[in-house]
Amino acid sequence: MRKSLLKAWPYMVLLLLAGILLAYFDIRFIFLIKENLDAAFSGQAQNFGTMARRLIMVQLLIFPAGLLVVYLRGLVKKTAMVAMKKDYLRGLFKKSISEFKSESTMKYMSELTNDMNSLEINFVDSLMEIILGFTNIAAAVYVVVNVNINILFMVAVMFVFVGTVSAALSKPMEKLYTERSVIQASFTKYIREALSAFQIIKGNNLMERVRDNYTDKAEGFLAKSYDIDLRSSWISGLQQLLFMTPTAALMVYMIYLTKVGMMTVGGVLAIANTLERLIGPVNIIMERLPKVVSSVSVFKKLDETLEETGEENETVELKGFNDSIEFRHVTFSYTGDREIFEDLDVTLEKGRKYLITGPSGGGKSTFLRLLRKYIPQKSGEILIDGIPLKDIKKLSYYKNIATVEQEVFLFQDTLLNNLTLYKEVSMERINDALDKAGLHDFILNFENGLSTMLYDNGKNISGGERSRIAIARALISGATMLILDEPFASLDYSTGREIERTILTIGGITVVNVTHVTFSENLSLYDMAFKVENGTLSDNSTILRNQEALE
């Protein structure tokens, strides 16, 4: 991920140059003030008008130079963060589905939000602060050397003292901030859990208990937060006191030098103005440098997340599914678990309709994961038209299969884009898919037709319509196999039955329906039925024949 930052380095160099330019104008302004004061105190102010014009001119130049620094800082941040997020997403989508699903989605969300925000503040922002800090320190040293080199040693000692104090006090401050972050996270987690259990709380009349718990936790959080703020204030106050002490000593020394004629009043003012440009950057550098260093672990964490741990040697481009999918003596078990399948043999022929049922935990989901190439079998072979599935490139395989699940995902976009998934597709093909999915009447109800917007994952349409859109999407994609993964579990009986009938009457496409919900009226439309239980997949087609006999 650190390589992503290389895209921002040209702007970082420009930022450094802009910082140098701004520091130059600041120095020039300080020296002009010094010259004006020295001329005034010496009674040689005949060129006062000229020097005043110079002051105004330099001040006017400081303004655009400052704006340039602000603009380049924003450009550096934008370029760096966009590059990192794009590269992270690019790496994430290179992962196989099995690799992706092996991690919690919340982990990826956390890395895209919390970790990226951390890098923005602790690395990118800090790096810019450090770069600009060094330009200010260099400018301050230049002023000191040119005003009175005799105080350079004292300023250097002050520099070391301020840096040491800042480093020493930043550790307890960082500890307090970490403590606050932990408390905040714990309190936020409690609130999230309480809101997630809203239905249970309301249904079981637990509101008063939750309110009491919330009050206790809120009071505890606020008390702890107040204690942290109090300690933080003491540390900040001590820090300011320790910074002001050497500053005051330096000012006294410069007044003495002025009294004995070794320094001018203008020189004192110049050094006084310069101290702010010295102490501030030193504090910032000492505070920000540990954050930059600590960010290395965040970069490492992101890189590890994007690593593909599976060993793959996929060489075959699948052009199409023409004959059959065979499971030959397939054995599978999860790590450290009992075998889910042992010596599994089954053949799925193109164009036929298969029903797969079984109890929860019996292996239905595992069978689907094997079929969808999400996980590799432990032994045996899975063949697509005689070609080992493990040798087939994932993307070419996924082009030939489509899935309709219980939860259908829809983009917040037009109905057309949700159907075509942003691909160029002929209207003839779209209309054919709409007809087969039973969506024509649904579309006619909308004034804008296919241009109708779907919002919030399709919340403005019914569950049955969402499922039909998923079917039409599969048909438009040209998939030759349609996998149904509990697609009717959340639909009412009538809607589920009609959608299943729609699917089973589509010709030329293989259908594998893995479900615990069956509709007796549609059983005769299946060619075969299997039951998955106790690591075996057995022929259960008698339920189809029994239904045919009833009809």
Side-chain angles (χ1 to χ4, degrees), residues 298-329:
V298 181
F299 281 114
K300 185 178 179 181
K301 175 187 173 185
L302 294 175
D303 288 335
E304 288 174 351
T305 298
L306 299 180
E307 288 178 359
E308 184 77 28
T309 58
E311 297 181 3
E312 299 178 351
N313 186 26
E314 300 172 342
T315 57
V316 180
E317 192 82 26
L318 186 67
K319 301 299 182 183
F321 169 40
N322 301 310
D323 185 24
S324 65
I325 299 178
E326 299 177 76
F327 285 68
R328 291 184 181 175
H329 309 295

Side-chain angles (χ1 to χ4, degrees), residues 59-117:
Q59 187 64 50
L60 291 175
L61 289 173
I62 287 174
F63 178 70
L67 284 181
L68 181 61
V69 168
V70 172
Y71 171 75
L72 287 171
R73 285 185 62 160
L75 198 57
V76 168
K77 183 187 292 190
K78 174 187 171 184
T79 306
M81 296 313 301
V82 168
M84 281 198 292
K85 290 179 180 181
K86 284 176 66 176
D87 288 349
Y88 180 86
L89 278 176
R90 189 179 293 113
L92 193 61
F93 282 109
K94 283 182 180 179
K95 295 173 75 72
S96 66
I97 294 176
S98 55
E99 284 283 334
F100 181 85
K101 286 183 173 290
S102 66
E103 298 284 356
S104 167
T105 305
M106 289 301 297
K107 176 183 178 181
Y108 299 123
M109 289 181 63
S110 175
E111 290 179 349
L112 269 170
T113 53
N114 298 338
D115 289 345
M116 287 295 178
N117 289 340

Side-chain angles (χ1 to χ4, degrees), residues 324-481:
S324 65
I325 299 178
E326 299 177 76
F327 285 68
R328 291 184 181 175
H329 309 295
V330 170
T331 299
F332 177 81
S333 64
Y334 294 101
T335 304
D337 201 357
R338 62 178 179 81
E339 288 187 344
I340 305 297
F341 290 114
E342 184 177 2
D343 200 30
L344 174 63
D345 281 286
V346 66
T347 299
L348 307 175
E349 297 178 4
K350 182 181 178 181
R352 305 192 79 185
K353 311 299 189 281
Y354 297 92
L355 175 66
I356 299 177
T357 59
S360 297
K364 298 194 302 297
S365 296
T366 301
F367 178 78
L368 269 189
R369 297 186 75 193
L370 288 167
L371 180 61
R372 294 159 82 174
K373 197 175 165 65
Y374 286 2
I375 52 176
Q377 69 273 19
K378 184 177 179 180
S379 62
E381 284 188 309
I382 301 175
L383 306 173
I384 310 294
D385 295 340
I387 304 169
L389 181 59
K390 64 181 178 64
D391 295 337
I392 296 173
K393 295 180 179 179
K394 286 186 177 68
L395 289 181
S396 70
Y397 181 59
Y398 295 151
K399 288 178 183 177
N400 287 276
I401 64 174
T403 302
V404 178
E405 299 180 276
Q406 181 176 346
E407 292 297 327
V408 178
F409 177 78
L410 298 175
F411 293 97
Q412 184 159 306
D413 209 323
T414 64
L415 177 55
L416 178 63
N417 285 335
N418 272 285
L419 289 167
T420 63
L421 295 180
Y422 306 95
K423 297 181 180 68
E424 291 291 333
V425 182
S426 68
M427 283 306 302
E428 181 182 359
R429 188 168 168 183
I430 292 172
N431 286 325
D432 181 61
L434 293 176
D435 185 52
K436 290 177 177 176
L439 278 174
H440 268 306
D441 291 342
F442 161 68
I443 293 172
L444 290 175
N445 290 329
F446 291 104
E447 181 180 351
N448 295 323
L450 291 174
S451 297
T452 300
M453 285 292 297
L454 302 181
Y455 297 101
D456 193 15
N457 198 21
K459 291 294 176 65
N460 55 327
I461 60 176
S462 71
E465 289 158 351
R466 286 158 55 88
S467 296
R468 289 186 187 276
I469 289 172
I471 296 166
R473 180 191 285 176
L475 297 174
I476 290 172
S477 72
T480 53
M481 175 180 287

Side-chain angles (χ1 to χ4, degrees), residues 2 14 17 40 42 67 98 124 130 150 170 172 177 246 271 275 291 310 336 376 397 405 427-428 444 446 448 532 543:
R2 276 170 286 186
L14 290 176
L17 295 176
S42 64
L67 284 181
S98 55
V124 178
I130 289 170
N150 294 320
S170 65
Y177 292 145
I271 297 296
L275 287 179
K291 293 181 179 181
Y397 181 59
E405 299 180 276
M427 283 306 302
E428 181 182 359
L444 290 175
F446 291 104
N448 295 323
V532 180
I543 63 169

